[in-house]
Amino acid sequence: MPAIHKHPEFIVRSAEPFNGGPPLPLLREHVVTPSELFFVRNHGNVPDVDVASYRLRVEGVVDRELQLSLAELRNEFPSVTLPATLQCAGIRRTELMAVEPIPGELPWEAEAISHGVWRGVPLHAVLAAAGVDSTAKHVAFSGLDVVQRRGETFGFGGSIPLAKALSPELMLAYELNGAPLPPTHGFPLRVLAPGYVGARSVKWLATITLQAEPSANYFQQRAYKLFPPDVHANTVDWAEGEMLGELDVNAVICQPTADATLPRGTIDVQGYAIAGGPQGIERVEVSSDGGTTWTEARLSAPLQPWSWRFWSAQLALSAGCHQLVVRACAMDGATQPPVAGPIWNFKGYMNNAWHRITIVVS
Ligand code: MTE
């Protein structure tokens, strides 16, 4: 298994498969997350891919099946560079777990997100080379990793609708932050699907299949599906549920951290916000009294449509215990739910309730 190079303060949520992310104050230090701090979500092993023999296969309802080496993808197709945020659907699951337990899932806090500068081939260019048949409605991806779950062994995969696959932001990325993809982030090639849950950005990409239906893979048909709060593991009908795609507006306090004790005076509150799609963040507000009164936060300069936005606010706080809360509003008017209870779901996805932390001012 290739070596994984991460920052000494990287929080490892599970060692095998390797999963983790940076402490929130460190995450908030860099608008472009350095690779050694970039969060990792792996369901299986990190494949050791021999780039000389590596071939991406493009198949399904296409005019021509393709087998492309990395050199062909780099040299014979256009390249694009795009700053974009990647966020896992399981982000902030611990807050859902506090509502009702979610057994068997990783206890992510708000660190399952990072922002990188990606370089690769526009997916539409590869699809055009293959020739998309009119019956194609979905583009399915599969990875080279192997997932073991409850005695079964299978691959990782997922799909996106053809319309999303043809949009300009969709990329087959071979670089992150100016260097070849690190092994744990998908070397030599991964999908980058900005604005969609991270699960659709399939790493160690082996095949692209054009098809009429969404992917039949476990991670499309069972995992990464959203069910209403009354559905539980023992009552679920897997044919139901919403296959996750587009992200929602979300905002998080990175600094101070939960349960911090701070000296009296003006405190600097900092965090990140995402709009979900390319529409951008309209407003971020912070409260120090549990959401009764609000102060508008200062937003950092906008980056690119698919990038997160950093925010900060100064709050003058008296001695005592304070509940800090943040909420964001996107340019399309989308807002966040105040509490997590009504959006609880048994797999623990898509928590975008107002982010609340308690601090003590001494
Ligand atoms: N691709 C493969 N092949 N295997 C995986 O386990 N995890 C997905 C996605 N692509 C995964 C994958 C999930 S759930 C997320 S959130 C992102 O990769 C995380 O990407 P990162 O590890 O580069 O941050």
Side-chain angles (χ1 to χ4, degrees), residues 71-110:
E72 286 168 323
L73 286 159
R74 275 183 175 270
N75 302 329
E76 293 171 24
F77 287 87
S79 78
V80 278
T81 301
L82 182 74
T85 305
L86 192 65
Q87 186 196 279
C88 186
I91 197 168
R92 302 179 55 198
R93 181 178 284 131
T94 48
E95 296 159 61
L96 296 173
M97 288 171 158
V99 175
E100 195 182 320
I102 301 176
E105 300 289 340
L106 278 181
W108 286 113
E109 294 188 357

Short mmCIF file of all heavy atoms in Angstrom, two decimals, residues 71-110:
data_model
loop_
_atom_site.label_atom_id
_atom_site.label_comp_id
_atom_site.label_asym_id
_atom_site.label_seq_id
_atom_site.Cartn_x
_atom_site.Cartn_y
_atom_site.Cartn_z
N ALA A 71 -0.77 9.39 -20.19
CA ALA A 71 -0.05 10.27 -21.13
C ALA A 71 -1.01 10.76 -22.22
O ALA A 71 -0.99 11.93 -22.60
CB ALA A 71 1.14 9.53 -21.73
N GLU A 72 -1.87 9.87 -22.71
CA GLU A 72 -2.84 10.30 -23.74
C GLU A 72 -3.81 11.33 -23.17
O GLU A 72 -4.14 12.32 -23.82
CB GLU A 72 -3.60 9.09 -24.28
CG GLU A 72 -2.73 8.23 -25.20
CD GLU A 72 -3.37 6.88 -25.52
OE1 GLU A 72 -4.02 6.26 -24.64
OE2 GLU A 72 -3.19 6.44 -26.66
N LEU A 73 -4.26 11.09 -21.95
CA LEU A 73 -5.18 12.05 -21.33
C LEU A 73 -4.50 13.41 -21.13
O LEU A 73 -5.10 14.46 -21.32
CB LEU A 73 -5.69 11.51 -19.99
CG LEU A 73 -6.71 10.39 -20.12
CD1 LEU A 73 -6.79 9.58 -18.83
CD2 LEU A 73 -8.09 10.97 -20.45
N ARG A 74 -3.24 13.39 -20.75
CA ARG A 74 -2.51 14.65 -20.52
C ARG A 74 -2.18 15.36 -21.83
O ARG A 74 -2.26 16.58 -21.91
CB ARG A 74 -1.19 14.37 -19.77
CG ARG A 74 -1.34 14.29 -18.26
CD ARG A 74 0.05 14.10 -17.65
NE ARG A 74 0.03 14.13 -16.20
CZ ARG A 74 0.18 15.24 -15.47
NH1 ARG A 74 0.36 16.40 -16.05
NH2 ARG A 74 0.18 15.18 -14.15
N ASN A 75 -1.81 14.59 -22.87
CA ASN A 75 -1.25 15.22 -24.07
C ASN A 75 -2.23 15.38 -25.23
O ASN A 75 -2.03 16.22 -26.09
CB ASN A 75 -0.03 14.41 -24.57
CG ASN A 75 1.02 14.31 -23.48
OD1 ASN A 75 1.15 15.23 -22.66
ND2 ASN A 75 1.75 13.20 -23.45
N GLU A 76 -3.26 14.55 -25.27
CA GLU A 76 -4.13 14.56 -26.45
C GLU A 76 -5.49 15.17 -26.19
O GLU A 76 -6.35 15.18 -27.05
CB GLU A 76 -4.26 13.15 -27.01
CG GLU A 76 -2.92 12.66 -27.56
CD GLU A 76 -2.92 11.19 -27.93
OE1 GLU A 76 -4.01 10.65 -28.20
OE2 GLU A 76 -1.83 10.60 -27.94
N PHE A 77 -5.69 15.67 -24.97
CA PHE A 77 -6.96 16.33 -24.62
C PHE A 77 -6.65 17.70 -24.05
O PHE A 77 -5.55 17.94 -23.56
CB PHE A 77 -7.72 15.48 -23.58
CG PHE A 77 -8.32 14.23 -24.14
CD1 PHE A 77 -7.57 13.06 -24.21
CD2 PHE A 77 -9.63 14.23 -24.63
CE1 PHE A 77 -8.13 11.89 -24.74
CE2 PHE A 77 -10.18 13.08 -25.16
CZ PHE A 77 -9.44 11.90 -25.22
N PRO A 78 -7.63 18.61 -24.10
CA PRO A 78 -7.41 19.91 -23.47
C PRO A 78 -7.25 19.74 -21.95
O PRO A 78 -7.70 18.73 -21.40
CB PRO A 78 -8.69 20.69 -23.79
CG PRO A 78 -9.68 19.69 -24.24
CD PRO A 78 -8.95 18.48 -24.71
N SER A 79 -6.61 20.69 -21.31
CA SER A 79 -6.53 20.63 -19.84
C SER A 79 -7.19 21.87 -19.25
O SER A 79 -7.20 22.94 -19.87
CB SER A 79 -5.08 20.52 -19.38
OG SER A 79 -4.46 21.78 -19.44
N VAL A 80 -7.77 21.70 -18.06
CA VAL A 80 -8.39 22.82 -17.34
C VAL A 80 -7.86 22.82 -15.91
O VAL A 80 -7.51 21.77 -15.37
CB VAL A 80 -9.93 22.73 -17.28
CG1 VAL A 80 -10.57 23.23 -18.53
CG2 VAL A 80 -10.39 21.33 -16.92
N THR A 81 -7.81 24.02 -15.34
CA THR A 81 -7.43 24.16 -13.92
C THR A 81 -8.61 24.81 -13.23
O THR A 81 -9.14 25.81 -13.71
CB THR A 81 -6.18 25.05 -13.79
OG1 THR A 81 -5.12 24.42 -14.53
CG2 THR A 81 -5.75 25.19 -12.35
N LEU A 82 -9.04 24.22 -12.11
CA LEU A 82 -10.24 24.73 -11.44
C LEU A 82 -10.07 24.64 -9.92
O LEU A 82 -9.86 23.55 -9.39
CB LEU A 82 -11.46 23.89 -11.85
CG LEU A 82 -12.80 24.34 -11.27
CD1 LEU A 82 -13.29 25.61 -11.95
CD2 LEU A 82 -13.84 23.23 -11.41
N PRO A 83 -10.18 25.78 -9.21
CA PRO A 83 -10.25 25.70 -7.75
C PRO A 83 -11.65 25.22 -7.36
O PRO A 83 -12.64 25.76 -7.86
CB PRO A 83 -10.01 27.15 -7.29
CG PRO A 83 -9.66 27.93 -8.52
CD PRO A 83 -10.22 27.16 -9.68
N ALA A 84 -11.74 24.22 -6.52
CA ALA A 84 -13.06 23.71 -6.13
C ALA A 84 -12.99 23.04 -4.77
O ALA A 84 -11.97 22.47 -4.38
CB ALA A 84 -13.57 22.70 -7.17
N THR A 85 -14.11 23.13 -4.07
CA THR A 85 -14.24 22.54 -2.74
C THR A 85 -14.82 21.14 -2.88
O THR A 85 -15.71 20.91 -3.70
CB THR A 85 -15.18 23.42 -1.89
OG1 THR A 85 -14.66 24.74 -1.89
CG2 THR A 85 -15.28 22.92 -0.46
N LEU A 86 -14.31 20.22 -2.08
CA LEU A 86 -14.83 18.85 -2.05
C LEU A 86 -15.36 18.61 -0.64
O LEU A 86 -14.64 18.87 0.34
CB LEU A 86 -13.68 17.89 -2.36
CG LEU A 86 -14.03 16.44 -2.65
CD1 LEU A 86 -14.86 16.33 -3.93
CD2 LEU A 86 -12.75 15.63 -2.82
N GLN A 87 -16.60 18.16 -0.53
CA GLN A 87 -17.19 17.94 0.80
C GLN A 87 -17.86 16.57 0.85
O GLN A 87 -18.58 16.19 -0.07
CB GLN A 87 -18.22 19.02 1.12
CG GLN A 87 -18.75 18.92 2.55
CD GLN A 87 -20.03 19.70 2.78
OE1 GLN A 87 -20.00 20.89 2.98
NE2 GLN A 87 -21.15 19.00 2.75
N CYS A 88 -17.63 15.86 1.93
CA CYS A 88 -18.25 14.54 2.10
C CYS A 88 -19.69 14.70 2.60
O CYS A 88 -19.98 15.57 3.42
CB CYS A 88 -17.44 13.72 3.10
SG CYS A 88 -18.05 12.04 3.24
N ALA A 89 -20.57 13.82 2.11
CA ALA A 89 -21.97 13.85 2.54
C ALA A 89 -22.11 13.58 4.03
O ALA A 89 -23.10 13.96 4.66
CB ALA A 89 -22.77 12.81 1.75
N GLY A 90 -21.10 12.91 4.62
CA GLY A 90 -21.17 12.54 6.04
C GLY A 90 -20.66 13.62 6.98
O GLY A 90 -20.58 13.40 8.19
N ILE A 91 -20.35 14.80 6.45
CA ILE A 91 -19.81 15.88 7.28
C ILE A 91 -20.79 16.20 8.42
O ILE A 91 -22.00 16.12 8.24
CB ILE A 91 -19.54 17.13 6.40
CG1 ILE A 91 -18.61 18.11 7.13
CG2 ILE A 91 -20.82 17.81 5.97
CD1 ILE A 91 -18.05 19.21 6.24
N ARG A 92 -20.23 16.50 9.59
CA ARG A 92 -21.00 16.90 10.77
C ARG A 92 -21.97 15.79 11.23
O ARG A 92 -23.03 16.07 11.81
CB ARG A 92 -21.75 18.21 10.51
CG ARG A 92 -20.81 19.37 10.13
CD ARG A 92 -21.55 20.66 9.85
NE ARG A 92 -22.39 21.03 10.96
CZ ARG A 92 -23.40 21.90 10.89
NH1 ARG A 92 -23.67 22.50 9.75
NH2 ARG A 92 -24.12 22.18 11.94
N ARG A 93 -21.56 14.53 10.99
CA ARG A 93 -22.43 13.42 11.41
C ARG A 93 -22.53 13.34 12.94
O ARG A 93 -23.54 12.89 13.47
CB ARG A 93 -21.89 12.11 10.82
CG ARG A 93 -22.75 10.92 11.19
CD ARG A 93 -22.25 9.64 10.56
NE ARG A 93 -22.57 9.53 9.15
CZ ARG A 93 -21.69 9.20 8.20
NH1 ARG A 93 -20.44 8.94 8.52
NH2 ARG A 93 -22.05 9.10 6.94
N THR A 94 -21.46 13.75 13.64
CA THR A 94 -21.49 13.63 15.12
C THR A 94 -22.69 14.39 15.70
O THR A 94 -23.25 13.96 16.70
CB THR A 94 -20.20 14.18 15.75
OG1 THR A 94 -19.92 15.44 15.17
CG2 THR A 94 -19.04 13.24 15.57
N GLU A 95 -23.08 15.50 15.07
CA GLU A 95 -24.22 16.26 15.59
C GLU A 95 -25.53 15.47 15.36
O GLU A 95 -26.45 15.55 16.17
CB GLU A 95 -24.30 17.63 14.91
CG GLU A 95 -23.09 18.50 15.21
CD GLU A 95 -22.93 19.60 14.17
OE1 GLU A 95 -23.84 20.44 14.03
OE2 GLU A 95 -21.90 19.60 13.48
N LEU A 96 -25.61 14.72 14.27
CA LEU A 96 -26.78 13.86 14.04
C LEU A 96 -26.75 12.69 15.02
O LEU A 96 -27.79 12.26 15.53
CB LEU A 96 -26.80 13.35 12.60
CG LEU A 96 -26.96 14.41 11.50
CD1 LEU A 96 -26.79 13.78 10.12
CD2 LEU A 96 -28.31 15.11 11.60
N MET A 97 -25.53 12.19 15.31
CA MET A 97 -25.40 11.07 16.26
C MET A 97 -25.84 11.48 17.66
O MET A 97 -26.26 10.64 18.45
CB MET A 97 -23.94 10.60 16.30
CG MET A 97 -23.51 9.86 15.04
SD MET A 97 -21.73 9.56 15.06
CE MET A 97 -21.61 8.17 13.91
N ALA A 98 -25.72 12.79 17.96
CA ALA A 98 -26.17 13.27 19.28
C ALA A 98 -27.69 13.30 19.36
O ALA A 98 -28.27 13.23 20.44
CB ALA A 98 -25.60 14.67 19.54
N VAL A 99 -28.35 13.36 18.20
CA VAL A 99 -29.82 13.32 18.17
C VAL A 99 -30.28 11.88 18.41
O VAL A 99 -31.16 11.62 19.23
CB VAL A 99 -30.34 13.83 16.80
CG1 VAL A 99 -31.86 13.68 16.70
CG2 VAL A 99 -29.93 15.29 16.57
N GLU A 100 -29.67 10.95 17.69
CA GLU A 100 -30.00 9.52 17.82
C GLU A 100 -28.80 8.76 17.26
O GLU A 100 -28.24 9.17 16.24
CB GLU A 100 -31.26 9.22 16.97
CG GLU A 100 -31.90 7.88 17.29
CD GLU A 100 -33.11 7.61 16.40
OE1 GLU A 100 -33.90 8.53 16.11
OE2 GLU A 100 -33.24 6.45 15.98
N PRO A 101 -28.37 7.68 17.90
CA PRO A 101 -27.16 6.98 17.44
C PRO A 101 -27.23 6.56 15.97
O PRO A 101 -28.30 6.25 15.45
CB PRO A 101 -27.09 5.75 18.35
CG PRO A 101 -27.87 6.13 19.55
CD PRO A 101 -28.95 7.06 19.09
N ILE A 102 -26.05 6.58 15.33
CA ILE A 102 -25.93 6.11 13.94
C ILE A 102 -24.81 5.08 13.93
O ILE A 102 -23.65 5.42 13.72
CB ILE A 102 -25.63 7.30 12.99
CG1 ILE A 102 -26.75 8.34 13.09
CG2 ILE A 102 -25.44 6.81 11.56
CD1 ILE A 102 -26.53 9.60 12.28
N PRO A 103 -25.14 3.82 14.23
CA PRO A 103 -24.07 2.81 14.33
C PRO A 103 -23.44 2.51 12.98
O PRO A 103 -24.09 2.58 11.94
CB PRO A 103 -24.80 1.58 14.89
CG PRO A 103 -26.25 1.88 14.90
CD PRO A 103 -26.47 3.31 14.48
N GLY A 104 -22.15 2.18 13.04
CA GLY A 104 -21.46 1.69 11.85
C GLY A 104 -21.01 2.76 10.88
O GLY A 104 -20.56 2.44 9.78
N GLU A 105 -21.14 4.03 11.22
CA GLU A 105 -20.70 5.09 10.31
C GLU A 105 -19.63 5.93 11.00
O GLU A 105 -19.60 6.04 12.22
CB GLU A 105 -21.88 5.99 9.90
CG GLU A 105 -23.00 5.25 9.18
CD GLU A 105 -22.65 4.80 7.77
OE1 GLU A 105 -21.70 5.34 7.18
OE2 GLU A 105 -23.32 3.88 7.26
N LEU A 106 -18.77 6.56 10.21
CA LEU A 106 -17.66 7.34 10.76
C LEU A 106 -18.16 8.60 11.48
O LEU A 106 -19.01 9.30 10.94
CB LEU A 106 -16.73 7.81 9.64
CG LEU A 106 -15.68 6.85 9.11
CD1 LEU A 106 -14.88 7.56 8.03
CD2 LEU A 106 -14.76 6.37 10.22
N PRO A 107 -17.60 8.88 12.65
CA PRO A 107 -18.03 10.08 13.39
C PRO A 107 -17.35 11.35 12.89
O PRO A 107 -16.52 11.93 13.57
CB PRO A 107 -17.63 9.75 14.82
CG PRO A 107 -16.42 8.88 14.67
CD PRO A 107 -16.60 8.10 13.40
N TRP A 108 -17.73 11.79 11.71
CA TRP A 108 -17.14 13.03 11.16
C TRP A 108 -17.63 14.25 11.92
O TRP A 108 -18.82 14.37 12.20
CB TRP A 108 -17.53 13.23 9.70
CG TRP A 108 -16.87 12.34 8.71
CD1 TRP A 108 -17.48 11.38 7.96
CD2 TRP A 108 -15.49 12.33 8.32
NE1 TRP A 108 -16.57 10.77 7.14
CE2 TRP A 108 -15.34 11.34 7.34
CE3 TRP A 108 -14.37 13.07 8.71
CZ2 TRP A 108 -14.12 11.06 6.73
CZ3 TRP A 108 -13.15 12.79 8.11
CH2 TRP A 108 -13.03 11.80 7.14
N GLU A 109 -16.72 15.15 12.20
CA GLU A 109 -17.14 16.49 12.61
C GLU A 109 -17.13 17.36 11.36
O GLU A 109 -17.47 16.87 10.28
CB GLU A 109 -16.26 16.96 13.76
CG GLU A 109 -16.50 16.07 14.97
CD GLU A 109 -15.84 16.52 16.24
OE1 GLU A 109 -15.12 17.53 16.25
OE2 GLU A 109 -16.05 15.84 17.26
N ALA A 110 -16.75 18.63 11.50
CA ALA A 110 -16.90 19.53 10.35
C ALA A 110 -15.65 19.59 9.47
O ALA A 110 -15.50 20.50 8.66
CB ALA A 110 -17.26 20.93 10.85
#
